[in-house]
């Protein structure tokens, strides 16, 4: 059965009515309206995942995020639902993946080893470390380092979706949430999120050119790895490798901030 596509004014009326009544019928209508968004986010998350992670499972995880977004969305705030829901859907998928602990311990350990090496090396150098310098610090050839990065690529998908905790342990802030900095938050949380946003922007700007391009095109322009490959004139696997390296660098930068050595 085809799903009725609502225009903007009709949808706004639905949101206003749902906010007042919490009608199950309206909620179900909104779920049907935005299920394609869940599948789209799941498709993007599935990029680089091992074959053991099923697309349908990701969609199922994402549905929890959509439901959470519908229940918490305030149409009076100056944020589009699609923007708000995308963060919630992605977050729900990553939360479930963490619970499943699908990354082998050896791979997770190697990912952490790379991040720790980058943190220590860049603290000493005072600048972004090159691949050759990271490889040397890990007693690898550069080719071995590139191969290792590809092996840990699955873990890097979670990197930009880690959470930062505010003073209250019950309040966690995702990287995606921090970029929006909603005005409904109290001043202290807004300041904290703006600081996180500043650090992320600075860290992205310090990435090597192609890694920066991949991050911007993937997270900001919503291009797929295949589309990014066409833009950069490289293979899809090369884009995956650049994405993994960029995420490892960014995660290392954020770790440095937590340790106070950024």
């Amino acid at each position: 059965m085809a799903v009725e596509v609502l225009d903007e004014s009709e949808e706004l009326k639905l949101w206003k009515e749902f906010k007042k009544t919490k009608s199950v019928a309206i909620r179900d209508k909104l779920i049907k309206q935005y299920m394609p968004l869940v599948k789209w986010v799941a498709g993007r998350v599935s990029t680089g995942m091992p074959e053991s992670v099923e697309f349908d499972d990701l969609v199922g995880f994402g549905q929890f995020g959509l439901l959470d977004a519908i229940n918490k969305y305030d149409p009076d705030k100056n944020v589009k639902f699609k923007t708000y829901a995308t963060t919630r859907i992605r977050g729900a998928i990553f939360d479930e993946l963490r619970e499943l602990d699908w990354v082998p311990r050896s791979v997770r350990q190697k990912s952490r080893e790379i991040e720790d090496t980058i943190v220590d090396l860049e603290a000493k150098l005072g600048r972004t470390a090159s691949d050759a310098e990271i490889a040397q610090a890990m007693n690898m050839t550069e080719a071995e380092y590139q191969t290792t990065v590809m092996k840990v690529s699955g873990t890097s998908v979670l990197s930009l979706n880690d959470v930062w905790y505010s003073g209250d342990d019950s309040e966690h802030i995702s990287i995606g949430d921090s970029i929006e900095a909603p005005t409904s938050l109290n001043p202290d949380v807004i300041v904290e999120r703006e600081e996180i946003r500043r650090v992320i922007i600075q860290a992205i700007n310090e990435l090597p050119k192609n890694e920066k391009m991949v991050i911007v095109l993937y997270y900001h322009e919503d291009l797929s790895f295949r589309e990014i490959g066409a833009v950069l004139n490289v293979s899809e696997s090369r884009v995956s490798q650049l994405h993994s390296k960029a995420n490892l660098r960014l995660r290392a930068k954020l770790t440095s901030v937590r340790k106070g050595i950024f």
Side-chain angles (χ1 to χ4, degrees), residues 151-169:
K151 287 180 179 178
V152 304
S153 61
T155 64
S156 72
V157 177
L158 305 182
S159 297
L160 290 186
N161 296 276
D162 280 350
V163 294
W164 287 61
Y165 288 90
S166 63
D168 181 356
D169 287 341

Side-chain angles (χ1 to χ4, degrees), residues 112-123:
R112 191 173 297 116
E113 184 182 338
I114 294 173
E115 291 163 20
D116 289 344
T117 300
I118 294 172
V119 169
D120 293 341
L121 190 56
E122 295 190 348

Side-chain angles (χ1 to χ4, degrees), residues 201-252:
I201 290 172
Q202 182 178 340
I204 290 173
N205 284 333
E206 291 175 354
L207 289 172
K209 181 181 176 181
N210 279 357
E211 291 177 28
K212 178 181 176 180
M213 284 287 290
V214 169
I215 292 298
V216 171
L217 292 174
Y218 184 74
Y219 290 97
H220 185 67
E221 300 296 334
D222 288 331
L223 298 188
S224 67
F225 281 7
R226 181 173 297 176
E227 292 168 331
I228 296 170
V231 171
L232 299 180
N233 196 28
V234 298
S235 67
E236 189 173 347
S237 62
R238 174 59 176 159
V239 174
S240 177
Q241 185 184 59
L242 289 168
H243 175 263
S244 298
K245 288 198 292 184
N247 272 284
L248 288 165
R249 289 183 192 275
L250 290 173
R251 187 174 180 123

Side-chain angles (χ1 to χ4, degrees), residues 19 23 73 104-105 128 131 199 208 212 214 237 242 252-253:
K19 185 179 178 183
S23 162
Y73 179 63
R105 183 174 299 177
T128 300
D131 288 353
V199 169
K212 178 181 176 180
V214 169
S237 62
L242 289 168
K253 293 281 189 186

Side-chain angles (χ1 to χ4, degrees), residues 170-187:
S170 66
E171 173 67 17
H172 67 273
I173 304 171
S174 75
I175 297 300
D177 288 340
S178 75
I179 294 174
E180 292 178 27
T183 55
S184 60
L185 298 171
N186 69 59

